[in-house]
């Protein structure tokens, strides 16, 4: 797993920077995108450039809720959860060396 960290909101404002960073990725790798509406456009543009991409939307958050047997939408530690007011804070404080080592770029 390799990660490119992008803004949690308004990612389209730096679309070209994100796109150019993605172009550095080996075309043999699958790219999973979770960037709100930006992911849809980016996925298509990367496809046109020869990449395999999937806009996963909120699948990750839905899976986290499933694992926790949540019956309502809840905050997930270190994840940006748009549907929960408290889910939009303290998402940058991931103190996990495995996660940190997966980060290949930060586009802000």
């Amino acid at each position: 797993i390799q990660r490119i960290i992008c803004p949690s909101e308004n990612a389209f404002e730096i679309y070209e920077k994100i796109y150019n960073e993605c172009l550095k990725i080996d075309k043999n790798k699958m790219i999973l995108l979770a960037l709100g509406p930006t992911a849809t456009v980016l996925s298509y543009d990367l496809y046109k450039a020869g990449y395999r991409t999937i806009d996963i939307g909120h699948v990750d958050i839905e899976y986290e809720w499933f694992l926790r047997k949540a019956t309502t939408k809840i905050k997930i530690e270190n994840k940006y959860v748009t549907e929960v007011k408290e889910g939009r804070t303290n998402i940058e404080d991931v103190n996990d060396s495995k996660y940190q080592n997966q980060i290949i770029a930060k586009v802000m």
Side-chain angles (χ1 to χ4, degrees):
I1 295 174
Q2 295 178 311
R3 300 174 186 270
I4 298 175
I5 305 301
C6 299
S8 299
E9 295 180 352
N10 304 314
F12 200 77
E13 291 179 5
I14 59 167
Y15 180 85
E16 290 299 320
K17 287 182 180 180
I18 297 169
Y19 177 76
N20 289 329
E21 198 62 45
C22 289
L23 292 179
K24 297 176 184 177
I25 297 171
D26 184 330
K27 287 186 178 181
N28 291 318
K29 294 185 177 184
M30 171 68 70
I31 299 174
L32 304 178
L33 301 168
L35 283 171
T38 302
T40 304
V41 178
L42 183 58
S43 184
Y44 179 70
D45 288 346
L46 289 171
Y47 159 77
K48 290 191 310 185
Y51 289 85
R52 296 177 300 144
T53 65
I54 299 174
D55 176 358
I56 64 169
H58 290 231
V59 170
D60 177 55
I61 295 302
E62 294 288 343
Y63 183 64
E64 293 285 354
W65 289 332
F66 168 78
L67 291 176
R68 290 164 175 75
K69 297 179 175 54
T71 57
T72 61
K73 296 176 180 183
I74 60 172
K75 178 180 178 173
I76 304 294
E77 183 180 331
N78 298 320
K79 302 267 185 166
Y80 187 83
V81 183
T82 59
E83 295 93 340
V84 179
K85 184 178 181 181
E86 304 83 32
R88 300 176 184 196
T89 58
N90 298 324
I91 59 169
E92 304 295 328
D93 303 331
V94 181
N95 190 16
D96 177 340
S97 61
K98 182 177 178 182
Y99 172 83
Q100 294 296 332
N101 289 332
Q102 294 171 346
I103 298 171
I104 60 170
K106 291 186 180 184
V107 184
M108 300 296 192

